[in-house]
Amino acid sequence: EPEVTQTPSHQVTQMGQEVILRCVPISNHLYFYWYRQILGQKVEFLVSFYNNEISEKSEIFDDQFSVERPDGSNFTLKIRSTKLEDSAMYFCASSVTGGSSGNTIYFGEGSWLTVV
Amino acid sequence: GIQVEQSPPDLILQEGANSTLRCNFSDSVNNLQWFHQNPWGQLINLFYIPSGTKQNGRLSATTVATERYSLLYISSSQTTDSGVYFCAGQDNYGQNFVFGPGTRLSVLP
Protein backbone atom coordinates (compact mmCIF):
# COMPACT_ATOMS: atom_id res chain seq x y z
CA GLU A 1 0.00 0.00 0.00
CA PRO A 2 1.39 3.43 -0.91
CA GLU A 3 2.48 5.50 2.04
CA VAL A 4 3.69 8.92 3.03
CA THR A 5 7.32 8.84 4.12
CA GLN A 6 9.04 11.35 6.38
CA THR A 7 12.63 12.06 7.32
CA PRO A 8 14.18 12.37 9.78
CA SER A 9 12.22 10.31 12.27
CA HIS A 10 13.81 12.22 15.12
CA GLN A 11 15.88 15.40 15.21
CA VAL A 12 17.44 17.24 18.11
CA THR A 13 18.37 20.84 17.46
CA GLN A 14 19.71 23.79 19.40
CA MET A 15 17.36 26.66 20.09
CA GLY A 16 17.70 29.27 17.38
CA GLN A 17 18.75 26.83 14.68
CA GLU A 18 16.87 26.14 11.48
CA VAL A 19 15.45 22.71 10.72
CA ILE A 20 14.04 21.19 7.57
CA LEU A 21 11.64 18.29 7.78
CA ARG A 22 11.14 16.28 4.62
CA CYS A 23 8.23 14.33 3.26
CA VAL A 24 7.46 12.28 0.20
CA PRO A 25 3.68 12.28 -0.31
CA ILE A 26 1.81 9.46 -2.02
CA SER A 27 2.62 9.76 -5.70
CA ASN A 28 -0.83 10.44 -7.20
CA HIS A 29 -1.92 12.79 -4.42
CA LEU A 30 -2.31 16.48 -5.14
CA TYR A 31 -2.85 18.03 -1.71
CA PHE A 32 -0.15 18.04 0.94
CA TYR A 33 -0.35 19.00 4.58
CA TRP A 34 1.71 19.53 7.69
CA TYR A 35 0.28 18.92 11.13
CA ARG A 36 1.85 19.25 14.56
CA GLN A 37 1.27 17.37 17.80
CA ILE A 38 2.83 18.64 21.00
CA LEU A 39 3.39 15.76 23.40
CA GLY A 40 0.12 14.65 24.96
CA GLN A 41 -1.97 17.15 23.04
CA LYS A 42 -4.21 17.08 20.02
CA VAL A 43 -3.13 17.02 16.40
CA GLU A 44 -3.12 20.57 15.01
CA PHE A 45 -3.29 21.72 11.41
CA LEU A 46 -0.43 23.88 10.18
CA VAL A 47 -0.74 24.25 6.43
CA SER A 48 -2.10 22.75 3.24
CA PHE A 49 -0.42 23.02 -0.14
CA TYR A 50 -1.79 22.56 -3.62
CA ASN A 51 -0.49 23.38 -7.07
CA ASN A 52 2.80 24.69 -5.70
CA GLU A 53 1.30 27.18 -3.33
CA ILE A 54 -0.18 27.37 0.15
CA SER A 55 -3.92 26.90 -0.04
CA GLU A 56 -4.71 27.25 3.64
CA LYS A 57 -2.78 27.87 6.85
CA SER A 58 -3.53 28.11 10.53
CA GLU A 59 -2.58 30.87 12.92
CA ILE A 60 0.24 28.63 14.15
CA PHE A 61 1.89 28.82 10.75
CA ASP A 62 3.53 32.22 11.09
CA ASP A 63 6.62 33.70 9.46
CA GLN A 64 8.80 31.23 11.31
CA PHE A 65 7.49 28.45 9.08
CA SER A 66 7.68 27.88 5.36
CA VAL A 67 6.88 25.02 3.01
CA GLU A 68 8.28 24.10 -0.34
CA ARG A 69 7.99 21.47 -3.00
CA PRO A 70 11.53 21.61 -4.36
CA ASP A 71 11.05 18.83 -6.91
CA GLY A 72 8.38 16.45 -8.14
CA SER A 73 8.40 14.22 -5.09
CA ASN A 74 9.53 16.03 -1.94
CA PHE A 75 7.55 18.38 0.29
CA THR A 76 9.43 20.18 3.03
CA LEU A 77 8.67 22.15 6.16
CA LYS A 78 11.28 24.66 7.26
CA ILE A 79 11.27 26.04 10.77
CA ARG A 80 13.52 29.04 11.28
CA SER A 81 15.02 30.12 14.56
CA THR A 82 13.56 27.23 16.54
CA LYS A 83 12.15 27.76 20.01
CA LEU A 84 11.69 25.33 22.87
CA GLU A 85 7.95 25.33 22.26
CA ASP A 86 8.49 24.05 18.72
CA SER A 87 9.31 20.66 20.19
CA ALA A 88 6.62 18.37 18.83
CA MET A 89 5.83 15.57 16.44
CA TYR A 90 5.38 16.95 12.94
CA PHE A 91 3.21 14.92 10.60
CA CYS A 92 3.14 15.22 6.85
CA ALA A 93 -0.01 14.07 5.09
CA SER A 94 -1.43 13.91 1.61
CA SER A 95 -4.75 13.40 -0.12
CA VAL A 96 -6.00 13.02 -3.66
CA THR A 97 -8.45 15.88 -3.53
CA GLY A 98 -8.96 18.92 -1.38
CA GLY A 99 -12.35 19.46 0.18
CA SER A 100 -14.58 17.37 -2.00
CA SER A 101 -16.51 14.33 -0.89
CA GLY A 102 -14.50 11.13 -0.75
CA ASN A 103 -11.32 12.81 0.38
CA THR A 104 -9.21 10.52 2.56
CA ILE A 105 -6.08 11.89 4.20
CA TYR A 106 -3.04 9.71 4.84
CA PHE A 107 -0.34 10.52 7.37
CA GLY A 108 3.34 9.77 7.49
CA GLU A 109 4.98 8.29 10.56
CA GLY A 110 5.99 11.68 11.87
CA SER A 111 9.20 13.54 12.60
CA TRP A 112 9.84 14.10 16.26
CA LEU A 113 11.59 17.45 16.79
CA THR A 114 13.28 18.19 20.09
CA VAL A 115 14.59 21.72 20.61
CA VAL A 116 17.13 22.06 23.43
CA GLY B 1 -14.61 27.09 13.05
CA ILE B 2 -15.74 23.51 13.05
CA GLN B 3 -15.76 21.54 16.29
CA VAL B 4 -14.91 17.90 16.89
CA GLU B 5 -15.42 16.39 20.33
CA GLN B 6 -14.71 12.91 21.60
CA SER B 7 -15.73 10.85 24.58
CA PRO B 8 -14.67 9.35 26.84
CA PRO B 9 -11.25 10.99 27.20
CA ASP B 10 -9.81 7.86 28.80
CA LEU B 11 -10.87 4.24 28.80
CA ILE B 12 -9.33 1.24 30.54
CA LEU B 13 -10.42 -2.24 29.54
CA GLN B 14 -9.54 -5.79 30.30
CA GLU B 15 -8.44 -7.80 27.30
CA GLY B 16 -11.45 -9.34 25.60
CA ALA B 17 -13.88 -6.57 26.52
CA ASN B 18 -15.85 -4.49 24.03
CA SER B 19 -15.94 -0.71 23.84
CA THR B 20 -17.64 2.18 22.08
CA LEU B 21 -15.93 5.47 21.39
CA ARG B 22 -17.94 8.51 20.40
CA CYS B 23 -17.20 11.49 18.17
CA ASN B 24 -19.51 14.49 17.92
CA PHE B 25 -18.95 17.06 15.23
CA SER B 26 -20.43 20.37 14.24
CA ASP B 27 -22.13 21.42 11.06
CA SER B 28 -20.04 21.75 7.90
CA VAL B 29 -17.84 18.78 8.76
CA ASN B 30 -17.42 16.15 6.09
CA ASN B 31 -15.04 13.36 5.16
CA LEU B 32 -14.98 12.02 8.71
CA GLN B 33 -12.17 9.61 9.49
CA TRP B 34 -11.04 7.55 12.48
CA PHE B 35 -7.37 7.10 13.31
CA HIS B 36 -5.43 5.05 15.81
CA GLN B 37 -2.25 6.57 17.19
CA ASN B 38 -0.10 3.72 18.37
CA PRO B 39 2.42 3.96 21.21
CA TRP B 40 5.12 4.91 18.68
CA GLY B 41 3.12 7.94 17.61
CA GLN B 42 2.06 6.72 14.19
CA LEU B 43 -1.38 7.77 12.94
CA ILE B 44 -3.02 4.77 11.34
CA ASN B 45 -6.10 5.19 9.16
CA LEU B 46 -8.94 3.05 10.49
CA PHE B 47 -12.02 4.21 8.62
CA TYR B 48 -13.16 6.82 6.16
CA ILE B 49 -16.76 7.03 7.30
CA PRO B 50 -18.71 10.18 6.28
CA SER B 51 -21.94 8.22 6.74
CA GLY B 52 -23.19 4.69 7.21
CA THR B 53 -21.43 1.70 8.74
CA LYS B 54 -18.18 -0.07 7.94
CA GLN B 55 -16.47 -3.04 9.49
CA ASN B 56 -12.89 -4.20 9.46
CA GLY B 57 -12.24 -7.26 11.56
CA ARG B 58 -12.89 -6.47 15.21
CA LEU B 59 -13.43 -2.81 14.48
CA SER B 60 -16.50 -1.17 13.07
CA ALA B 61 -17.68 2.41 12.74
CA THR B 62 -21.00 4.10 12.23
CA THR B 63 -21.61 7.71 11.32
CA VAL B 64 -25.03 9.35 11.51
CA ALA B 65 -24.31 12.52 9.62
CA THR B 66 -27.77 14.03 10.16
CA GLU B 67 -27.24 13.83 13.93
CA ARG B 68 -23.56 14.76 13.67
CA TYR B 69 -21.97 11.87 15.49
CA SER B 70 -19.83 8.85 14.78
CA LEU B 71 -19.15 5.75 16.84
CA LEU B 72 -16.16 3.44 16.78
CA TYR B 73 -16.72 -0.06 18.13
CA ILE B 74 -13.90 -2.28 19.27
CA SER B 75 -14.82 -5.85 20.04
CA SER B 76 -12.76 -8.47 21.86
CA SER B 77 -10.10 -5.88 22.61
CA GLN B 78 -6.42 -6.83 22.61
CA THR B 79 -3.45 -5.17 24.24
CA THR B 80 -2.31 -4.04 20.80
CA ASP B 81 -5.46 -1.92 20.57
CA SER B 82 -3.99 0.40 23.19
CA GLY B 83 -3.24 3.94 22.11
CA VAL B 84 -5.16 7.07 21.30
CA TYR B 85 -8.13 7.04 18.94
CA PHE B 86 -8.83 10.23 17.04
CA CYS B 87 -11.68 11.21 14.83
CA ALA B 88 -11.11 14.01 12.34
CA GLY B 89 -13.36 15.83 9.95
CA GLN B 90 -12.73 18.17 7.11
CA ASP B 91 -14.16 21.64 6.93
CA ASN B 92 -16.68 21.94 4.09
CA TYR B 93 -15.08 25.23 3.10
CA GLY B 94 -11.43 24.29 3.15
CA GLN B 95 -8.86 21.54 3.27
CA ASN B 96 -8.20 21.63 6.98
CA PHE B 97 -8.86 18.35 8.81
CA VAL B 98 -9.79 19.13 12.39
CA PHE B 99 -8.96 16.50 14.98
CA GLY B 100 -10.85 15.74 18.12
CA PRO B 101 -8.96 15.58 21.42
CA GLY B 102 -8.80 11.79 21.26
CA THR B 103 -9.77 8.87 23.47
CA ARG B 104 -6.84 7.21 25.22
CA LEU B 105 -7.49 3.47 25.39
CA SER B 106 -5.53 1.15 27.63
CA VAL B 107 -6.19 -2.57 27.28
CA LEU B 108 -4.84 -4.59 30.19
CA PRO B 109 -3.75 -8.21 29.84
Side-chain angles (χ1 to χ4, degrees):
Chain A
E1 182 176 318
E3 58 183 19
V4 178
T5 58
Q6 290 186 239
T7 55
S9 57
H10 188 196
Q11 182 163 353
V12 180
T13 189
Q14 294 278 341
M15 194 167 50
Q17 296 297 303
E18 175 182 285
V19 299
I20 298 176
L21 306 178
R22 291 180 169 81
C23 169
V24 179
I26 295 173
S27 61
N28 65 331
H29 286 189
L30 302 177
Y31 288 80
F32 315 126
Y33 312 81
W34 284 100
Y35 282 76
R36 179 183 81 175
Q37 185 183 31
I38 295 170
L39 185 63
Q41 298 185 23
K42 64 193 295 184
V43 180
E44 301 174 291
F45 170 75
L46 293 179
V47 66
S48 61
F49 190 86
Y50 170 71
N51 200 26
N52 284 319
E53 61 183 25
I54 291 173
S55 52
E56 191 174 341
K57 62 181 181 179
S58 72
E59 57 191 25
I60 302 170
F61 193 88
D62 59 20
D63 293 342
Q64 186 192 4
F65 296 90
S66 62
V67 290
E68 190 179 32
R69 187 158 167 83
D71 53 44
S73 59
N74 289 286
F75 178 52
T76 62
L77 174 69
K78 182 186 291 185
I79 309 174
R80 288 179 283 273
S81 191
T82 50
K83 300 173 285 197
L84 295 176
E85 53 265 39
D86 294 327
S87 296
M89 178 78 95
Y90 289 83
F91 290 102
C92 176
S94 68
S95 63
V96 174
T97 64
S100 61
S101 177
N103 190 31
T104 305
I105 187 169
Y106 294 89
F107 285 83
E109 295 186 347
S111 293
W112 182 251
L113 176 65
T114 302
V115 182
V116 297
Chain B
I2 63 175
Q3 302 291 326
V4 180
E5 301 171 348
Q6 292 184 245
S7 60
D10 295 279
L11 188 58
I12 300 175
L13 301 173
Q14 285 296 134
E15 200 167 24
N18 302 328
S19 62
T20 301
L21 284 57
R22 186 178 180 101
C23 173
N24 292 327
F25 51 91
S26 61
D27 285 345
S28 72
V29 170
N30 63 7
N31 293 323
L32 194 86
Q33 291 184 233
W34 282 94
F35 297 89
H36 174 219
Q37 187 168 39
N38 63 24
W40 296 270
Q42 298 170 342
L43 283 168
I44 310 298
N45 286 63
L46 295 178
F47 293 102
Y48 167 77
I49 186 84
S51 63
T53 297
K54 289 185 178 179
Q55 181 157 5
N56 184 4
R58 296 181 296 103
L59 303 181
S60 63
T62 295
T63 296
V64 184
T66 53
E67 297 186 26
R68 300 192 297 280
Y69 72 88
S70 183
L71 302 174
L72 177 69
Y73 305 96
I74 304 174
S75 63
S76 303
S77 57
Q78 300 175 357
T79 56
T80 52
D81 294 332
S82 296
V84 183
Y85 290 81
F86 291 103
C87 66
Q90 191 172 28
D91 189 337
N92 268 341
Y93 304 106
Q95 292 98 45
N96 177 14
F97 277 85
V98 175
F99 278 71
T103 292
R104 181 173 296 278
L105 175 66
S106 300
V107 181
L108 306 179

